[in-house]
Amino acid sequence: MFEPIDPALARRIRMVVFDVDGVMTDGGVYLGATASGESVELKRFDIQDGLGVLMLRNAGLRVAIVTGRVSEAVRIRAGELKVDDLHQDPKADKLNALTEILQRNGIGWDEAAFLGDDLPDLAVLRRVGLPAVVGNATSDARAAAVWAAKKHGGHGAVREFAEALLTARGQWADAVAQYVAEREAGR
Ligand SMILES: [Mg+2]
């Protein structure tokens, strides 16, 4: 079972933002090259995490991904999860990226949640209404958060956060019932 999130805080949230490396993945990257010398970067994503992201969207929350690396793997995964906003910034200037995303969506910092794991996330964690970290976050990131997952990045932390947030908002049970009902109806 996860740590509860304050219900009043949880109900204020309109957008959930995820870091990628160390949050949606375990932080590892597979680097290689094709026979023609083109570099390739692969990442491993967790399927239960992915369903957690879809449940957030089904519950009416907007979902964004803000990452400091640029990779085709993230673009593909963001498409699968139908995230509303994806920003891949090689300079890892996540604060400016998220400022733009929030403004474009008409969402305030106090209405945003962010799940991070390390120093590139600190500035954003210090601004959002619900700063959260994965179970294996670095000590600086953890110190900036009001909620920490038990599970590690790439190994269920995203799902744990999604369930904790929707539970605190009183939406999880209904979201599960709707998910099951849609499949029973064969839609
Ligand atoms: Mg990270």
Side-chain angles (χ1 to χ4, degrees), residues 19 21-23 94 117-118 121:
D19 173 36
D21 297 288
V23 171
K94 298 185 184 185
D117 75 310
D118 204 349
D121 306 319

Side-chain angles (χ1 to χ4, degrees), residues 78-148:
E80 284 185 345
L81 300 179
K82 300 180 174 64
V83 306
D84 299 290
D85 288 277
L86 166 64
H87 186 90
Q88 304 196 69
D89 174 16
K91 295 195 298 291
D93 187 355
K94 298 185 184 185
L95 192 62
N96 274 332
L98 192 51
T99 298
E100 191 276 323
I101 289 172
L102 292 175
Q103 279 178 356
R104 180 154 37 78
N105 285 279
I107 293 173
W109 283 101
D110 61 326
E111 298 172 315
F114 186 86
L115 185 65
D117 75 310
D118 204 349
L119 296 180
D121 306 319
L122 263 190
V124 168
L125 287 169
R126 288 172 177 164
R127 287 290 293 277
V128 293
L130 174 46
V133 291
V134 299
N136 58 329
T138 60
S139 56
D140 295 280
R142 180 175 289 264
V146 301
W147 185 90

